[in-house]
Amino acid sequence: MEIEGIKIDDTVDITDKVCPLTFVKAKVAIDELDDGEVIAIRMNDGEPVQNVPRSIKEEGHQILKLVNNEDGTYNLIVKKVEE
């Protein structure tokens, strides 16, 4: 799968989760990737968009892009970086 020309290795949908489950589900999904793989994290607008990218960046992973799906959700494209 590709999103805006970026090859996606895995996806996780956290639109139905509430904090802190949004962070937990996203973190577990990233942890399951191999280093260098890319995941698309689908999340709701608002608090998740404000907080999840920051949390993932603090974990040391690379934010490649935040894509507005025009339906109240976003795809956060993240590349797993070796811890």
Side-chain angles (χ1 to χ4, degrees), residues 10-15 25-26 29-30 39-43 75:
D10 198 6
T11 60
V12 64
D13 187 338
I14 59 172
T15 56
K25 192 167 180 186
I30 291 170
I39 189 167
I41 302 169
R42 187 167 182 261
M43 60 190 155
N75 276 323

Side-chain angles (χ1 to χ4, degrees), residues 18-80:
V18 293
C19 193
L21 284 178
T22 49
F23 296 109
V24 173
K25 192 167 180 186
K27 185 174 173 358
V28 167
I30 291 170
D31 286 346
E32 291 174 352
L33 295 176
D34 291 328
D35 293 322
E37 286 189 326
V38 176
I39 189 167
I41 302 169
R42 187 167 182 261
M43 60 190 155
N44 291 323
D45 195 1
E47 192 178 323
V49 169
Q50 294 164 17
N51 296 325
V52 172
R54 185 181 67 234
S55 170
I56 288 170
K57 209 170 183 177
E58 286 171 0
E59 293 273 325
H61 303 296
Q62 183 181 359
I63 308 291
L64 299 179
K65 193 165 222 166
L66 182 64
V67 180
N68 186 339
N69 297 321
E70 307 293 339
D71 63 357
T73 69
Y74 285 79
N75 276 323
L76 180 68
I77 314 299
V78 178
K79 183 177 184 178
K80 182 174 180 176

